[in-house]
Amino acid sequence: RQAAPAPLCWSPSTSAYFDGVRAAGADSCDANWFTAGSGDLASPAGRPSFSAPAPAVLGYDASIFDFCTQQDVSGGGGGGGGSWQADLVARCVGANLNALRVLRGWNMCLNFRWLVCAARGKLPGQALRPELVFATRPGDLQVLRAYQRREGRGCIGGPCESHYSPEHIFFAEVCALSALCANGGELFSLPAGQRFECHFSAGGFEALVDQLTGRTKVAGSPPPPSPPPPSPP
């Protein structure tokens, strides 16, 4: 989660972040989203070598690993140099699938930027096709799981009491996509592995930004906390 002293990337006073995401230009989307990989991909300057247009793949970590393994057409069987994360990267690149695998410098701001790029078909290798594929069915999401034991490899960067788990991230991605894509309602009836073409909605993006920055109150959200009582004289 956001460190307490760190500036918030999507507070009302930081419109520059959303301006960059909204533009979805080369500076925002043309990046190496696989730096958990090995070799050249471990460098921010590296780029994946896909052999076909590569849709974005989303889901729980273990499901993404299994799905990329099943779809791998490279014949390499991974080859990540012993690291689970690097092995996942190798399998997904071999399967022509764009997964977000950034370990150092990851936060929800970077995750949201990747998601918008994916929804607009602007990730490297997507070839301007806004296609996504889900290793975990959005229709199988259960809210209670977010409050129970975290799946897979624990939480990101520390204990789950103060850090996000992969389950939390996937919940957030599906919720955001349901707003960003005009056809987002179709997400919840998709079979696992079926490609989904996002009809990106500029209005949906702006409405989501308003909710994230607090300019629009989300239905069902609690009222803001009351101000503290004045100090005694």
Side-chain angles (χ1 to χ4, degrees), residues 59-122:
Y60 297 147
D61 280 1
S63 299
I64 291 175
F65 186 97
D66 290 344
F67 186 74
C68 287
T69 300
Q70 294 164 8
Q71 301 294 317
D72 189 350
V73 295
S74 69
S83 158
W84 187 89
Q85 292 284 357
D87 196 12
L88 184 151
V89 166
R91 291 167 190 258
C92 289
V93 171
N96 295 312
L97 292 168
N98 259 301
L100 175 57
R101 289 289 116 181
V102 174
L103 297 184
R104 295 181 180 178
W106 179 93
N107 56 33
M108 286 298 289
C109 303
L110 182 144
N111 206 107
F112 183 72
R113 182 160 61 95
W114 176 87
L115 192 67
V116 173
C117 292
R120 300 181 71 175
K122 294 194 174 184

Side-chain angles (χ1 to χ4, degrees), residues 119-139:
R120 300 181 71 175
K122 294 194 174 184
L123 295 176
Q126 255 188 311
L128 297 180
R129 299 180 182 180
E131 290 185 338
L132 305 94
V133 63
F134 294 86
T136 304
R137 289 184 66 247

